[in-house]
Structure formats: C-alpha cells, structure tokens
Amino acid sequence: MKRGIYLAVAIAVVVALLALILPRGAPPTVTSSAAPTSATSVQTTPQPAPPVATSGTSAPTASPTATTSASTTSTPAATAAQPASVESYEANYTFLMRVFTRGVEARVEGWLVIGESGERNYTYGRLRFPTGDVEIYGVAYNKSAVVYKLCAGGVCQYDYQGLFPSGSRNATTVVKGLCQWLNYTGVMNETRGFVELSGLMAPFRGRGNFTEHVCMAGRLLLTYRLEVDAVARFGAPFKSVMEVKAVRVGAFNETMYRRLAEELRSGPAPPAFADLLESCYAVYVAKNGTYLRTDDYPADADVVYVVADAEGGVAVAERIAQDLRRGLTVYLVTFGYTELQRLLPNPPDGLYVARCPQSDVLDWLRAQPAGRAEVAQSYARVVLK
C-alpha cells in the first residue's frame, strides 16, 4: 500500500485539479510553465491528524518532532557507509503536487502519515485542495485486503476495491546509486516509461510519459518525486509534478493501526442495489434477442455485471448465460445511453439491463466489500447473494 497510495493520490489529485482548471482555462495550448525542481517551496507543516471516529484517545500529532507511538524509541538511523534496511516504521511526510495545463497552474499540498510492519499498513492525512480539505484514511490487514476512506465537507466515502485505476504501464527502472535523507542512507531508483489510463475504474482516459525517482531505505520511503507529461482523452495536455518527503521517522504505532483497522473494517453497510436502481435512467429485460423497456423489474439481484463497452460485453456474455441457467436473477449495469445491441448483441432471455449514471455505478461498485466484487479491465462482477 505504501507506494500505491502515492500513485492513487496523484491520479485523484490530477482528476480534481483538471476539473477545476479546464472550465476557466485559456485556449488549448501546451503550457510553457516550468515545473518545480524541488519541494523547497512547500509551506505546509504537518499538523494534527483529523480525528478518527473511534472511542479512546485522539489521533496522534503528525509533526516533525512529535512521537506518534506509545514508545519514544525511533527507528535507528543507518550510517552513510551502506543503505539502511528499515522493515517496521511510522513516517510523517509532506506532500506537494502541481498541475499545469492550458497556461494555468493549480496545486494541492498537505501531509500524510504512513506506518508499515509486516503485512500491516496504515495511512492517514489531509490534503488541501483549492475547494477545501480532503482527509485520507487507509489500512491493510494483509496482502489482499485494503480499505480506504476519503472525507470532504463532513461526507465520507469508503473504497474497498482500491483507488487504483485500470490501465497499462510500460517502464524501465535503473538503480542510480545511494541517497541520503534524515540521516538515513537509501537506494535511489529512477523509473521512466509510458502510462495509459483506461478501463472500467479509470477516473478519466489518457496517456503520457512519466519519470519517477524513489529513495528507499529498505521498506521505508524517504523521498518520492513523480513527473508526468500527458494528454487526456478529451484533448487537454497537462504536466504534473508530485513530491513527497519524509520529515520524521519513528516506531510503528500499534494503537493507531488497531484504531484505523477497527474504524474501516466496521464501516457502513454496503449500499443496496435497490438504491442504485433508483438512480438509473431506465431498466430493460431481454426477450427473444431484443431489449424491452420495463417498469416491472426486481429490486434485488443475485449477480450484477458492470460493463462499459462492447469489449466488456464480449468478456461476460458466457458467464451471464451460465448464471441465468442456474436460475439466478442477473443484472447487467451500464453507463448512460450506451447502445445495448452493441454492448451485448444477443442477450439471453431473462437478463435485466439498467442504464445508470457512471458516477453512481462506480461509487456503488467501490463500496462493495472485498471478496464480493471481481473487477477486471473491462467489466466487474458482483455477487450479492
């Protein structure tokens, strides 16, 4: 989860900033603004963490000098002679991201706290957007169970499927040598490559080149810099630069891990499928190879398939038929006004199809508990019963 949270936050920030910038941006020209080469301009000092909604003591203070563990023993720093190998820790980080597009610049800055020990991880922090603060929480119970919660304006959303968008990444990593930060000696890796965002869960579609510099001391991330030059599918060129730097390293906080794990594991019940159907534009039932609009449809389902395009329809066609032969109530959910005959040319009788707002569908899908949803590149399958 450690490096994954940075990439996930970067993508979420780019999406949010592009949405803010583009409506008021200049005519479509590639900006000539130079991106920053260091994070020395960061003005945000790590500050107290947002309170976690659990009983007991308040969340620890995330400041460069604060001790956020019951123990006051920090992880020992290594000498400059060889790289450190830190396996268990809690670290406070500053965060700065700038996005440049169409002659306009926007930034998000804030702080993150990340703890790691074995397969257990936790993350919390606050990022300041032009529109307000966003709180981030995350916890990993093991290699396959990760839960995130994002809160803005007092409203929180749980994400059990992960913040990571679909897509492809073709990259080459080179070890550049040793690096030093906070009296730790680590190894600097440089990764250059091409990235394309696509698929069912991608917040937007685009492609471009990226360069990533990561200074690691064992499992401890000391500094992280990501530069992306890309073009979104709707034609907007943008450059983004993100920098994350450790400002304090201490011991893994067992108390904080348990509190976050309890909070996120016991999150709200998954939203009912019936609630999603209420937001949909129309529901159809398949009969004799065609789609008939109907108001007489079940408000519940055994299995739900989420498909965005014809590629996804081809991928799930046989599985839908198998589920129907088993006597299950099966829905296919798609976005907006997708042409149904192109999506699934020969639908099996008894299949229900719902056209719904994309944002509502993806919110419902992300809120499904781990193990309930199978998310692939072009489709998702959710077993509700």
Side-chain angles (χ1 to χ4, degrees), residues 273 297-305 320 323-324 326-332 350-352 382 384-385:
F273 181 63
Y297 54 84
D300 203 356
D302 296 309
V303 180
V304 176
Y305 290 85
I320 288 176
D323 286 337
L324 287 170
R326 294 167 55 200
L328 303 179
T329 300
V330 181
Y331 267 86
L332 186 151
L351 172 67
Y352 291 93
V382 184
L384 297 178
K385 294 183 180 179

Side-chain angles (χ1 to χ4, degrees), residues 276-287:
L276 174 62
L277 285 180
E278 289 184 0
S279 72
C280 295
Y281 306 121
V283 177
Y284 305 80
V285 61
K287 187 174 183 180

Side-chain angles (χ1 to χ4, degrees), residues 259-343:
R259 290 177 58 187
L260 282 173
E262 179 183 353
E263 160 80 5
L264 299 186
R265 279 175 173 168
S266 60
F273 181 63
D275 294 335
L276 174 62
L277 285 180
E278 289 184 0
S279 72
C280 295
Y281 306 121
V283 177
Y284 305 80
V285 61
K287 187 174 183 180
N288 298 327
T290 61
Y291 295 93
L292 304 176
R293 186 162 180 170
T294 180
D295 293 326
D296 183 19
Y297 54 84
D300 203 356
D302 296 309
V303 180
V304 176
Y305 290 85
V306 179
V307 175
D309 51 33
E311 179 184 352
V314 171
V316 302
E318 180 55 34
R319 297 183 70 179
I320 288 176
Q322 291 175 359
D323 286 337
L324 287 170
R325 286 195 293 268
R326 294 167 55 200
L328 303 179
T329 300
V330 181
Y331 267 86
L332 186 151
V333 175
T334 189
F335 306 143
Y337 293 93
T338 306
E339 187 178 340
L340 299 183
Q341 288 293 347
R342 290 188 60 189
L343 190 69

Side-chain angles (χ1 to χ4, degrees), residues 11-21 108 129 131:
I11 293 166
V13 168
V14 167
V15 173
L17 290 185
L18 286 179
L20 289 169
I21 294 172
V108 169
F129 287 76
T131 55

Side-chain angles (χ1 to χ4, degrees), residues 47-80:
Q47 50 190 288
V52 180
T54 56
S55 60
T57 58
S58 59
T61 301
S63 66
T65 58
T67 300
T68 62
S69 170
S71 170
T72 58
T73 304
S74 297
T75 306
T79 65

